[in-house]
Amino acid sequence: MKASSVKGVANTEGNTESSVDSLTNSGEVAAERAGNAPETVLNSLVQLTGKRQIRALGEALVETIRNALETPSVAFVTVKSPVPFPVHMLPRNNSLPVSSLDDCVQACARSGELVSEQHEEGVLTALPIMINGITVKVLLLHSIMPMSCQQLALLNGFARIYENFLNVMLDVETDSLTGLLNMKGYHSQVLAVLEDDDQSYCEQSGDPKSFWLVIFDIDKFKKINDTFGHLYGDEILLLVANTMIQVFDEKDLLFRFGGDEFVVLLAPRTKQQARAILKQFQKQIAVIRNDKLLQVHCSIGGVNASGANNPTDLLVQADRALYHVKENGRGDIAFYCDLLEQGIVITEHFDDDIELF
């Protein structure tokens, strides 16, 4: 699959004020077509547009549709897309117990248009959620009766408002070069994910699965910049980011903090599974080829993030593991828990407002 960056296809034109004007106009059109009382629609818009986090925005959209259209079954459905959109950004409890939905969803994803189908269980209505013309998710509704033209107009208006605000949020919380999440979105995104942490175990080994926070940088990246220039260095960063998108899955959160420093929050895995996918990533970037550079290597430090409530502590601990790797030859992977057991490091706590990078 060819990897693309979120920011690369999610650039919004104009400023936030023009976006808000567009949202208001969409809401007024939807209200007029639906024949609903202006206060009802405006109250819904206030709830929807008052959110400042991507997951909360999606939850507000689902709740708004349920209330405004009296449709209890609403969910986002994942579709194949070149744009990475982590599932952790979607609302909690995001599922529909409906059979025979694949055809409806795929038809919507292919056409980029609303699709409505009658099934034995009722009516399925699928609406694409798009970023600059690319479908990233499908909003699926299950209702007993078909929706009227007025209801469909209101549904479309709410979805377009969500898309516009999603673009604004992505513009703020993604790295301008790689399209990965940036440092600004780190704390809120990580805390939101860790709130959903339920203990699970590997079926084969019985080992516990945990979230893993890992940090890595490109070995001797400063030498690359100094030798070939920053534009060439940016090209390497893009290739590394695209490799991250290819190797890690949509349940993992991918960040670039600046320079050549990257962070990944791995979805629950055993330590052995976490190490395996990190080794796979190291192998993948080692085969990056271009007209000037030899192999690209990276050193990785990680920490068990399950049960944690301070994202700053996690960063510092993972960074300590990374430092240990760099001091002992580079190109390896170290976990903070192993270093603790070996007595190489001691447990430390840092204030949450510390500047790390």
Side-chain angles (χ1 to χ4, degrees):
M1 180 183 71
K2 182 180 179 181
S4 298
S5 66
V6 173
K7 190 60 166 32
V9 296
N11 289 330
T12 53
E13 297 182 0
N15 55 28
T16 304
E17 291 182 358
S18 62
S19 298
V20 172
D21 291 337
S22 175
L23 306 184
T24 304
N25 292 336
S26 298
E28 291 173 352
V29 171
E32 180 179 353
R33 290 179 178 177
N36 285 15
E39 314 86 65
T40 303
V41 176
L42 287 175
N43 286 337
S44 297
L45 291 179
V46 168
Q47 294 297 319
L48 180 60
T49 59
K51 305 303 179 183
R52 293 298 178 265
Q53 295 179 4
I54 294 175
R55 169 178 273 185
L57 181 69
E59 291 173 345
L61 175 65
V62 169
E63 190 63 24
T64 296
I65 292 173
R66 285 173 177 165
N67 293 336
L69 302 180
E70 298 182 349
T71 303
S73 299
V74 184
F76 287 88
V77 179
T78 299
V79 295
K80 289 185 178 181
S81 171
V83 181
F85 195 97
V87 294
H88 296 303
M89 291 185 178
L90 297 177
R92 296 176 179 85
N93 303 318
N94 181 60
S95 62
L96 276 180
V98 181
S99 62
S100 305
L101 57 80
D102 284 346
D103 291 343
C104 182
V105 169
Q106 295 306 320
C108 174
R110 286 193 302 270
S111 66
E113 298 178 353
L114 185 146
V115 174
S116 186
E117 295 181 355
Q118 181 77 46
H119 292 264
E120 293 182 359
E121 302 91 346
V123 179
L124 291 175
T125 303
L127 189 68
I129 299 298
M130 309 180 83
I131 297 177
N132 281 12
I134 298 177
T135 300
V136 294
K137 297 292 172 185
V138 168
L139 188 64
L140 186 66
L141 289 75
H142 177 220
S143 56
I144 303 300
M145 300 294 292
M147 285 190 285
S148 67
C149 293
Q150 297 168 332
Q151 290 175 315
L152 291 175
L154 189 57
L155 170 64
N156 185 69
F158 283 135
R160 299 294 78 78
I161 290 170
Y162 169 80
E163 285 180 350
N164 287 344
F165 266 81
L166 176 63
N167 275 283
V168 172
M169 290 182 178
L170 288 174
D171 192 55
V172 172
E173 294 192 7
T174 54
D175 173 54
S176 60
L177 175 64
T178 64
L180 303 181
L181 294 167
N182 61 20
M183 191 176 185
K184 182 177 179 62
Y186 169 77
H187 281 73
S188 61
Q189 294 289 351
V190 170
L191 284 176
V193 170
L194 295 181
E195 286 176 0
D196 297 338
D197 187 9
D198 294 323
Q199 185 67 67
S200 60
Y201 297 86
C202 177
E203 294 182 0
Q204 288 76 24
S205 66
D207 294 333
K209 293 183 176 182
S210 304
F211 284 100
W212 297 90
L213 192 286
V214 300
I215 183 170
F216 71 89
D217 56 24
I218 301 170
D219 292 339
K220 301 181 180 179
F221 184 71
K222 184 178 184 301
K223 184 177 180 180
I224 296 174
N225 271 338
D226 292 344
T227 303
F228 302 113
H230 289 278
L231 288 178
Y232 186 75
D234 287 350
E235 180 183 342
I236 299 302
L237 294 175
L238 282 169
L239 291 171
V240 169
N242 285 343
T243 304
M244 292 171 67
I245 294 170
Q246 292 171 349
V247 172
F248 302 111
D249 62 38
E250 65 174 8
K251 294 182 180 180
D252 304 320
L253 292 180
L254 313 179
F255 300 85
R256 178 188 175 225
F257 274 18
D260 62 323
E261 291 170 318
F262 295 86
V263 172
V264 180
L265 181 64
L266 294 174
R269 293 173 171 86
T270 66
K271 185 166 68 172
Q272 183 179 4
Q273 291 170 337
R275 184 181 293 276
I277 195 169
L278 293 174
K279 281 187 174 295
Q280 180 187 348
F281 171 69
Q282 287 181 320
K283 291 179 180 178
Q284 288 292 101
I285 66 168
V287 299
I288 290 176
R289 286 291 183 270
N290 46 77
D291 59 346
K292 297 178 182 177
L293 189 68
L294 298 177
Q295 287 186 324
V296 178
H297 298 283
C298 72
S299 302
I300 302 176
V303 61
N304 186 327
S306 288
N309 55 18
N310 188 328
T312 298
D313 278 356
L314 294 176
L315 277 178
V316 173
Q317 291 165 1
D319 193 55
R320 289 292 303 276
L322 173 61
Y323 180 79
H324 173 78
V325 173
K326 289 183 173 182
E327 289 295 297
N328 291 272
R330 300 178 181 270
D332 203 355
I333 301 168
F335 290 110
Y336 187 75
C337 56
D338 294 335
L339 301 182
L340 280 176
E341 290 179 2
Q342 298 165 20
I344 298 174
V345 298
I346 59 174
T347 304
E348 295 176 305
H349 174 80
F350 296 83
D351 293 334
D352 199 40
D353 60 352
I354 189 172
E355 290 291 337
L356 296 176
F357 300 97

